[in-house]
């Protein structure tokens, strides 16, 4: 009979090597040294949240908890590595057995070990978004859906819909009604495709990114042996940025902590700003309801900002009803500079003010890299990008690619480019490939056919914008695009949209002479591009806002050639400045507030603080949406360390309604006048 031999755990020191009281402030210390049980740590902006989590892990290890019994969940693997590296620097212990990483990476690890319980082998494939899109398109074809007969969402959009259903645990019909109402008539077909997609993944031993959460939760809830195994292993669970978790992530945490309930979640309800991508604000707000015995700690000592900025931040968030009330307290001395509220005439003057003030700050030895301009939506920075380019001020876009380089902007302007210059092959091919059934080869053939009839068309276009009429007594019928385009052969799938293209080009450039660029943009969007955007982009509404603002921006140009020249000049200046973004040279940071979360700067400008812009027009109907906008404003303010400028124009251009009067943001009115300084801008 074999002899039984038991490996004993190595003896662990239970003495405290770290002087926690010396390393932490009183609020941090209370959270770090709290006894086991459910713990909610509300960590205000700049209060040392990461430090608190790191020292909590060290405290558990020093008190004899085996690293294998600790699970640290973060939103990036980098964050987990940094915390564990800090722990290793604090303590001479081997913490390699500790599980730390994102929800998805931890789910992947569990499924590799025990996914057979769901019928998956350990070698399952994880599809990226491109693989997922291809598989969904295959499933759509197998479902007998004919794109010639029905305008069905593309694979990318379906992937986004399926992702929301999983992460928010929302029924398909409800989800479509909330986020994609224009697809509700296709509900049954989309449900069928979803079911087929799930079967296809199982048959090919493949998972998408969302399965790493959904299948893990399913496995823990419905396979008791697996659930018991992981609940016993993870005796202490710590969660970073808890305010950003979605429904399925919260359920995953609650499932793992069901028996021991030793779960510490750390976050800031005032920085919950991601509901648009599925984050659930209720997770952090209702944590004490799900865990009635939870201890709640507030960490309010701010190490980032001067008192003047913090006073404005505290006032800005005070009007929210649903929140854990706290008061950020400064550790830095006053700099005697109050945040500025600056009223401007319009977006152009706002851009001039920001650009001039940036140059002045640079003269005051503030590094351009330490200056940020924050905005609610990407299109808010159109005038500013133009002004910075004109003045040669280098800038980098933290919130993505530059406005005029975005796909939907270039798509729509390709129609204008072609109408203004019928010899523009690049614009022609980009434009026609937006139509169903036209790919690279078809576009080449169509361009060759167009070239055969281009002579008469180009002759009119070459006369330029000034030749709006023929000399007296000379007949000048001009030309129409439709006459030439409709004589060309296209496939049956493309025929209807080709006719619409011909009609639209004649509408935006009657007799070959382009209309005002703003009118051209709106005509293209309404006649062709709006439907295309709904089927092809997951964030259709945001892109439509961009296009509306592009039309508004174009109102300052009467001539399409001048408008297109300005766009080209901006792009060329930007292209020359692009190396600055990856070199050591300075550049001002332009960013949406969402992308700036977690960052900090010496000086912050928050622009377009008007009702309908910030807060956004879509948020004004419900209290929940408005409160999230207010949290977004709070996040923007707390990015500033030393100086803060809050700007709002009285007027803005509108695509189809002329100049629109702007009311100052209601958020500005909620800040007491004594906390800010009004700047009156005058022109020389």
């Amino acid at each position: 009979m074999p002899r039984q031999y038991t490996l004993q755990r190595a003896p662990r020191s239970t003495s405290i090597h770290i002087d926690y009281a010396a390393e932490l402030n009183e609020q941090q210390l209370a959270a770090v040294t709290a006894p086991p049980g459910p713990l909610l740590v509300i960590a205000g902006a700049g209060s040392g949240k990461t430090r608190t989590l790191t020292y909590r892990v060290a405290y558990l290890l020093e008190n004899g908890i085996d690293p294998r019994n600790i699970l640290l969940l973060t939103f990036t693997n980098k964050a987990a590595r940094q915390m564990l590296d800090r722990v290793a620097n604090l303590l001479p212990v081997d913490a390699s057995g500790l599980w730390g990483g994102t929800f998805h990476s931890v789910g992947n690890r569990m499924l590799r070990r025990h996914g057979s319980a769901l019928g998956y082998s350990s070698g399952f494939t994880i599809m990226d978004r491109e693989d997922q899109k291809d598989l969904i398109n295959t499933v759509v074809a197998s479902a007998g859906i004919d794109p010639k007969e029905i305008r069905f969402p593309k694979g990318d959009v379906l992937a986004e819909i399926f992702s929301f259903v999983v992460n928010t645990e929302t029924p398909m019909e409800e989800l479509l009604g909330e986020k994609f109402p224009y697809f509700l008539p296709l509900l049954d077909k989309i449900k069928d495709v979803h079911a087929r997609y799930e079967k296809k993944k199982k048959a090919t031993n493949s998972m998408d990114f969302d399965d790493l959460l959904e299948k893990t939760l399913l496995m823990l809830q419905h396979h008791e042996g697996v659930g018991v195994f992981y609940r016993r292993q993870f005796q202490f669970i710590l969660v970073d940025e808890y305010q950003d978790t979605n429904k399925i992530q919260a359920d995953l945490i609650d499932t793992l902590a069901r028996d021991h309930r030793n779960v510490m979640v750390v976050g800031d309800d005032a920085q919950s700003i991601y509901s648009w991508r599925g984050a659930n604000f209720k997770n952090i707000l209702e944590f004490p309801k799900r865990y009635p015995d939870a201890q709640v700690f507030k960490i309010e000592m701010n190490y980032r900002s001067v008192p003047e900025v913090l006073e404005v931040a505290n006032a800005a968030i005070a009007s929210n009803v649903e929140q854990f009330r706290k008061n950020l307290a400064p550790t830095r001395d006053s700099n005697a500079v109050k945040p500025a509220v600056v009223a401007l005439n319009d977006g152009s003057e706002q851009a001039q003010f920001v650009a001039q003030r940036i140059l002045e700050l640079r003269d005051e030895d503030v590094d351009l890299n330490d200056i940020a301009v924050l905005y609610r939506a990407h299109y808010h920075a159109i005038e500013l990008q133009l002004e910075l380019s004109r003045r040669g001020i280098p800038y980098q876009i933290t919130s993505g690619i530059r406005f005029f380089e975005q796909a939907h902007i270039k798509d729509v302007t390709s129609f204008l480019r072609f109408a203004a210059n019928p010899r523009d092959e690049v614009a022609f091919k980009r434009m026609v490939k937006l139509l169903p059934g036209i790919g690279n080869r078809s576009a080449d053939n169509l361009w060759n056919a167009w070239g055969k009839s281009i002579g008469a068309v180009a002759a009119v276009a070459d006369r330029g914008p000034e030749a709006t009429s023929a000399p007296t007594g000379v007949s000048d019928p001009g030309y129409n695009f439709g006459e030439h385009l409709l004589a060309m052969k296209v496939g049956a799938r493309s025929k209807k949209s080709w006719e619409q293209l011909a009609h639209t080009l004649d509408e935006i450039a009657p007799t070959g002479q382009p209309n005002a660029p703003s009118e051209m943009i709106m005509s293209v969007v309404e006649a062709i591009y709006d439907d295309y955007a709904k089927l092809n982009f997951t964030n259709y509404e945001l892109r439509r806002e961009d296009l509306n603002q592009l039309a508004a921006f174009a109102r300052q140009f009467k001539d399409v050639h001048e408008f297109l020249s300005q766009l080209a000049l901006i792009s060329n200046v930007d292209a020359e400045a692009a190396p600055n973004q990856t070199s050591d040279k300075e550049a001002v940071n332009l960013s949406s507030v969402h992308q700036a979360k977690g960052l900090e700067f010496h000086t912050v400008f928050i622009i377009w603080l008007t009702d309908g812009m910030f807060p956004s027009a879509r948020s004004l109907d419900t209290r929940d949406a408005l409160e999230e906008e207010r949290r977004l404003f709070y996040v923007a303010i707390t990015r500033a360390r030393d100086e803060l400028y809050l700007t709002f124009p009285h007027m803005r251009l509108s695509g189809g309604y002329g100049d629109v009067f702007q009311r100052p943001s209601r958020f500005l009115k909620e800040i007491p006048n004594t906390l800010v300084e009004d700047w009156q801008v005058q022109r020389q």
Side-chain angles (χ1 to χ4, degrees), residues 180-206:
F180 304 90
Y182 37 88
F183 291 142
L184 270 175
L186 302 172
L187 173 64
D188 290 340
K189 286 184 170 60
I190 293 175
K191 278 186 173 180
D192 179 54
V193 168
H194 192 204
R196 290 170 180 265
Y197 173 60
E198 290 297 319
K199 290 179 182 177
K200 192 74 170 177
K201 286 188 294 182
K202 189 73 171 286
T204 57
N205 197 40
S206 301

Side-chain angles (χ1 to χ4, degrees), residues 481-501:
F481 283 97
E483 178 184 342
H484 299 276
L485 291 173
L486 295 177
M488 297 161 59
K489 292 183 179 180
V490 296
R493 183 181 173 192
S494 310
K495 187 173 177 56
K496 185 176 180 180
S497 58
W498 188 258
E499 292 172 351
Q500 180 63 60
L501 172 64

Side-chain angles (χ1 to χ4, degrees), residues 133-144:
K133 180 187 74 174
D134 291 343
L135 188 61
I136 290 174
N137 286 336
T138 300
V139 169
V140 169
S142 71

Side-chain angles (χ1 to χ4, degrees), residues 398-512:
T398 309
S399 53
I401 60 177
R402 295 162 187 260
F403 182 85
F404 298 106
E405 296 170 1
Q406 297 177 102
H408 53 297
I409 301 298
K410 297 185 76 171
D411 286 345
V412 170
T413 53
S414 69
F415 289 78
L416 277 64
R417 287 173 52 190
F418 179 70
N421 175 18
R423 289 193 177 98
D424 191 332
E425 179 179 355
V426 173
F428 176 89
K429 289 182 176 178
R430 183 172 192 124
M431 175 181 68
V432 300
K433 283 193 290 186
L434 297 171
L435 308 181
I438 299 179
N440 289 330
R441 182 175 297 180
S442 299
D444 287 339
N445 293 336
L446 289 167
W447 174 251
N448 291 333
W450 173 254
K452 294 176 182 178
S453 60
I454 200 173
V457 175
V460 176
D462 285 347
R463 293 202 307 269
E466 295 178 1
T468 55
S469 62
T472 304
V474 178
S475 174
D476 183 11
Y479 71 89
N480 63 68
F481 283 97
E483 178 184 342
H484 299 276
L485 291 173
L486 295 177
M488 297 161 59
K489 292 183 179 180
V490 296
R493 183 181 173 192
S494 310
K495 187 173 177 56
K496 185 176 180 180
S497 58
W498 188 258
E499 292 172 351
Q500 180 63 60
L501 172 64
H503 173 76
T504 301
L505 286 170
D506 281 336
E507 181 181 307
I508 66 175
T511 66

Side-chain angles (χ1 to χ4, degrees), residues 52-229:
T52 302
L53 264 177
T54 300
Y55 275 82
R56 176 65 175 180
V57 173
Y59 183 78
L60 292 175
L61 294 173
E62 279 204 328
N63 280 274
I65 304 301
D66 192 298
R68 292 170 295 183
N69 296 137
I70 299 175
L71 173 63
L72 174 62
L73 291 166
T74 60
F75 271 81
T76 66
N77 287 314
K78 179 182 178 182
R81 286 194 302 270
Q82 288 177 339
M83 286 189 209
L84 295 180
D85 287 345
R86 292 185 190 182
V87 170
N89 291 331
L90 291 172
L91 289 174
V93 298
D94 179 11
S96 58
L98 190 154
W99 281 37
T102 65
F103 286 85
H104 293 89
S105 66
V106 168
N108 173 57
R109 194 169 172 183
M110 291 182 181
L111 289 167
R112 296 289 180 194
R113 289 183 167 193
H114 296 99
S116 57
L118 301 175
Y120 286 87
S121 75
S122 61
F124 63 82
T125 299
I126 301 176
M127 298 183 293
D128 61 20
R129 200 52 174 255
E130 192 66 25
D131 297 330
Q132 186 182 8
K133 180 187 74 174
D134 291 343
L135 188 61
I136 290 174
N137 286 336
T138 300
V139 169
V140 169
S142 71
I145 296 172
D146 187 353
K148 296 178 186 177
E149 299 177 0
I150 181 173
R151 296 180 68 81
F152 203 69
K154 297 297 189 292
D156 272 345
V157 178
L158 288 170
E160 187 79 358
I161 291 171
F162 299 163
S163 180
F164 268 106
V165 167
V166 169
N167 287 293
T168 63
E169 299 180 354
T170 304
M172 181 74 73
E173 183 172 7
E174 185 180 333
L175 188 279
L176 290 183
E178 289 178 1
K179 297 188 71 67
F180 304 90
Y182 37 88
F183 291 142
L184 270 175
L186 302 172
L187 173 64
D188 290 340
K189 286 184 170 60
I190 293 175
K191 278 186 173 180
D192 179 54
V193 168
H194 192 204
R196 290 170 180 265
Y197 173 60
E198 290 297 319
K199 290 179 182 177
K200 192 74 170 177
K201 286 188 294 182
K202 189 73 171 286
T204 57
N205 197 40
S206 301
M207 294 193 191
D208 60 36
F209 207 52
D210 298 311
D211 286 325
L212 300 180
L213 300 181
E214 184 187 34
K215 300 298 188 287
T216 300
L217 181 60
L218 186 69
M219 180 176 69
L220 294 173
Q221 290 178 334
H222 296 285
H223 295 273
E224 187 61 21
V226 179
V228 168
F229 176 84

